[in-house]
Amino acid sequence: MAITAFAPTIGAGAPSGDTRRGGRTALLLLLPGIAYLALFFLAPLVSLILTSLQTPRLYGDIGQYDYAFRIENYADVVGEYLPQILRSFGYALVATAIALVISYPLAYFIGVALRRYPLAQSLLLVLVIAPFFISFLLRTLAWKQLLSNDSLVVQGLQALSLLGPGEYFIGSPAAVIFGLVYNFVPFMVLPLYASLERLDIRYLEAGSDLYAGAFTTFRTVTLPLSMPGIVSGTLLTFIPAAGDYVNASRDFLGSPDTSMLGNAVEANFLVLQNFPAAAALSIILMAAILVLVAVYVRRSGTDELL
Amino acid sequence: MLGIFSAIVLVYLLIPIVYTIVFSFNDYRRTNIVWRGFTFDNWLGVCNAQGVCQAFGNSILIAVVSTVVATAIGTAAAIALARYRFRFKSATTLLIFLPMATPEVVLGAGLAAQFLTAGIQKGILTVILAHVMFCVSFVIVTVRARVASVDPSIEEAGRDLYGSPAQVFFRITLPLLAPGIAGGALLSFALSFDDFIITNFNSGPATTFPKFIYTAAARGIPAEANVIASAIFILAIAAVLISQIAAAARRKRLASR
């Protein structure tokens, strides 16, 4: 990229020291970061596309592939892994919805109800981010043990006939979704809190002055004003959940019947050494997420993601 | 009502943490699944479980190096983005945002495919290269918010008083940005230390602490792993709580003046 590409454009709001020299300074400051992302983020995406079109080398060993424009790889992986693909998006969607429902009241409580108690606010926020300070694999394994077949929870569910005598929780789709919700709730609470914390309480008072009930005020005032938080929270939950393969894996909360797209990518890349299949699945995941995000952000009418 | 509901959600978030800490004191013999009695042995002999301390050491090394590199290049980029206008700014912003919106499996598999094509052996170095990549974006976003909240006229005053560019940067800009930079570095350390998915694709034979747990999950996690995780948790929470309470006390003092 030429230096002229970063020449400052004169416009309103530009800091006063913004001269031609500023343009060169900006380039120098940005170059390491941009070059790094080009080399280790963009180039790998290109590698992934090229790998997804490879074909096994003739008379080659396992794991040896040559470049070929083999677009059929995509049809092959969709044919073989359709259940995993559907499960990935299905589980992530349900987990995101549940996470939103349980996070919103908590974020509202911390951000609006506790507004006059800043110390309580920050202490509760510390509790929300506390899970980040302990390995997420260990936390997930803790749930596996707490919800294991002979646990009180499962015995209770069996006593209430919510589970049949031979039925268990671990290994079921519900367990995987439970784990996804648990692991990504903090990602939902934080952006919701950030937008609710800025909410001007006078709007809520105006609502009740105009004889709107609590529900009407919530639906017509609070909810629309917290939309940016809802959009970023749902994206921050949905995207990692759709790509996750730890919760669904057999040694954690899942079973072979609950494996997701991420599990298929891991198995193909690291175990079967079927690199083209793993790459094609990754590209499908990436493309689907980009399309969903673009549609969703446009629909919800917010693009203040950063 | 709202308070009770919030309390339930917080308890739900904290249950696995309590479980992990409690089971670090379990007198486990072979598998750390059922409670067999209280002991300090796991805490006193953390490295007795084979491989756990080596994995922990690798994770610390990777997190420290990744954090230093990501913070340095991320801070520079954040200053440029917040302070200057240039062409392709929105494209640049998109490039920085995209890694955060990309599922980790895709990032992990992409890098692994690239290392494979380039014939680079996977190990600690490739893990560091991968971690710097995803940490940079988080550092940029965190530091950029701080740069945006600092008044540029303070730096201008420094220049007016004949401060050299280096003096202005090190004595004015950097101290003002310090909280943002510290936040970005902390986030980057935590993300790197706990990353499993990208690491799994790019570590080859090298182990890290999360990779150790993933591999051990099938046969049972030794309680020593719980000890390491609990110790980090307690240290991190103590640090955060102390800084929060100190900040609140400072605010109170300023307000009462």
Side-chain angles (χ1 to χ4, degrees):
Chain A
M1 221 174 284
I3 290 174
T4 51
F6 288 93
T9 46
I10 297 143
S16 50
D18 208 5
T19 56
R20 197 176 176 77
R21 209 174 123 251
R24 206 165 290 152
T25 314
L27 173 73
L28 283 174
L29 288 171
L30 270 175
L31 199 62
I34 298 301
Y36 201 96
L37 288 179
L39 207 58
F40 294 105
F41 171 69
L42 287 183
L45 285 185
V46 176
S47 284
L48 211 51
I49 296 172
L50 294 177
T51 307
S52 73
L53 299 169
Q54 287 178 338
T55 182
R57 179 172 297 169
L58 215 57
Y59 311 116
D61 285 336
I62 294 169
Q64 292 189 312
Y65 295 89
D66 285 315
Y67 178 74
F69 194 72
R70 199 171 182 282
I71 203 106
E72 295 91 326
N73 285 343
Y74 284 86
D76 293 350
V77 292
V78 171
E80 193 173 350
Y81 294 105
L82 190 62
Q84 278 86 342
I85 296 172
L86 295 178
R87 259 181 234 137
S88 242
F89 289 104
Y91 291 178
L93 201 68
V94 177
T96 306
I98 297 173
L100 178 62
V101 170
I102 65 177
S103 301
Y104 203 101
L106 176 61
Y108 188 90
F109 181 67
I110 304 176
V112 180
L114 288 184
R115 196 168 291 181
R116 284 193 290 143
Y117 310 96
L119 187 61
Q121 269 188 324
S122 30
L123 291 181
L124 290 191
L125 278 178
V126 171
L127 293 183
V128 171
I129 59 166
F132 289 146
F133 297 129
I134 202 160
S135 169
F136 99 99
L137 296 171
L138 276 176
R139 282 185 277 127
T140 311
L141 282 172
W143 279 124
K144 180 185 181 171
Q145 254 108 65
L146 288 164
L147 301 169
S148 66
N149 299 348
D150 48 3
S151 67
L152 289 173
V153 179
V154 169
Q155 284 172 359
L157 288 173
Q158 285 173 339
L160 294 167
S161 331
L162 287 169
L163 279 176
E167 288 177 351
Y168 299 111
F169 185 66
I170 295 301
S172 68
V176 176
I177 292 170
F178 180 91
L180 291 173
V181 171
Y182 172 77
N183 279 309
F184 299 112
V185 154
F187 291 98
M188 183 69 90
V189 177
L190 293 177
L192 282 176
Y193 164 78
S195 71
L196 285 167
E197 193 248 348
R198 281 197 299 264
L199 181 75
D200 192 337
I201 294 189
R202 285 173 296 181
Y203 289 131
L204 305 183
E205 291 162 358
S208 61
D209 286 350
L210 295 166
Y211 300 106
F215 180 72
T216 314
T217 309
F218 177 76
R219 193 175 54 83
T220 55
V221 182
T222 315
L223 201 61
L225 286 175
S226 59
M227 216 45 206
I230 296 178
V231 172
S232 36
T234 45
L235 289 177
L236 282 173
T237 306
F238 181 82
I239 295 171
D244 183 78
Y245 65 80
V246 172
N247 287 286
S249 96
R250 191 206 313 233
D251 295 329
F252 288 76
L253 302 175
S255 66
D257 297 335
T258 61
S259 67
M260 294 166 61
L261 216 166
N263 302 81
V265 175
E266 190 209 22
N268 276 293
F269 207 111
L270 296 175
V271 184
L272 307 170
Q273 296 200 36
N274 189 347
F275 307 121
L281 284 165
S282 308
I283 295 292
I284 290 173
L285 175 64
M286 178 78 190
I289 283 182
L290 284 181
V291 170
L292 285 173
V293 169
V295 171
Y296 178 63
V297 171
R298 188 154 299 179
R299 272 270 178 111
S300 54
T302 31
D303 38 19
E304 313 166 25
L305 285 168
L306 280 178
Chain B
M1 240 338 253
L2 200 59
I4 295 167
F5 184 86
S6 301
I8 294 171
V9 177
L10 287 173
V11 168
Y12 159 70
L13 284 175
L14 301 178
I15 285 174
I17 300 174
V18 174
Y19 179 94
T20 305
I21 296 174
V22 167
F23 274 72
S24 75
F25 293 103
N26 188 14
D27 189 7
Y28 83 111
R29 273 155 220 135
R30 292 187 54 219
T31 54
N32 191 20
I33 292 173
V34 281
W35 183 255
R36 288 179 206 276
F38 184 89
T39 177
F40 272 119
D41 291 355
N42 310 317
W43 280 77
L44 297 173
V46 198
C47 293
N48 287 349
Q50 211 188 349
V52 76
C53 279
Q54 203 208 345
F56 172 71
N58 284 344
S59 276
I60 291 284
L61 171 75
I62 291 164
V64 168
V65 178
S66 307
T67 299
V68 169
V69 178
T71 307
I73 63 182
T75 301
I79 293 173
L81 279 169
R83 281 287 152 83
Y84 298 101
R85 303 183 136 243
F86 46 85
R87 258 194 278 172
F88 303 122
K89 190 166 181 172
S90 49
T92 309
T93 312
L94 185 69
L95 177 63
I96 288 156
F97 170 71
L98 266 182
M100 295 189 287
T102 306
E104 287 194 74
V105 239
V106 179
L107 295 176
L111 272 164
Q114 198 185 17
F115 292 139
L116 191 75
T117 319
I120 297 170
Q121 283 292 316
K122 290 195 267 189
I124 289 184
L125 180 68
T126 50
V127 176
I128 292 173
L129 290 171
H131 285 199
V132 171
M133 183 269 294
F134 67 77
C135 290
V136 159
S137 297
F138 286 95
V139 172
I140 294 177
V141 172
T142 316
V143 178
R144 190 186 172 179
R146 179 76 198 174
V147 182
S149 72
V150 168
D151 186 352
S153 57
I154 302 175
E155 290 163 332
E156 239 165 74
R159 279 193 290 273
D160 288 347
L161 295 166
Y162 301 104
S164 70
Q167 277 178 316
V168 171
F169 182 75
F170 286 107
R171 303 194 45 187
I172 300 176
T173 314
L174 212 54
L176 283 172
L177 298 186
I181 297 172
L186 212 70
L187 186 62
S188 152
F189 187 91
L191 288 171
S192 166
F193 189 84
D194 200 25
D195 177 75
F196 167 68
I197 293 182
I198 295 175
T199 308
N200 192 29
F201 277 93
N202 293 292
S203 55
T207 46
T208 62
F209 187 60
K211 207 177 147 185
F212 174 88
I213 298 168
Y214 189 76
T215 321
R219 51 190 162 80
I221 308 286
E224 285 82 353
N226 292 38
V227 172
I228 290 179
S230 308
I232 296 171
F233 175 79
I234 293 164
L235 282 176
I237 283 290
V240 171
L241 281 179
I242 290 168
S243 72
Q244 291 284 346
I245 292 168
R250 202 162 48 237
R251 271 198 303 274
K252 212 170 218 170
R253 231 184 10 253
L254 287 174
S256 68
R257 257 184 209 169

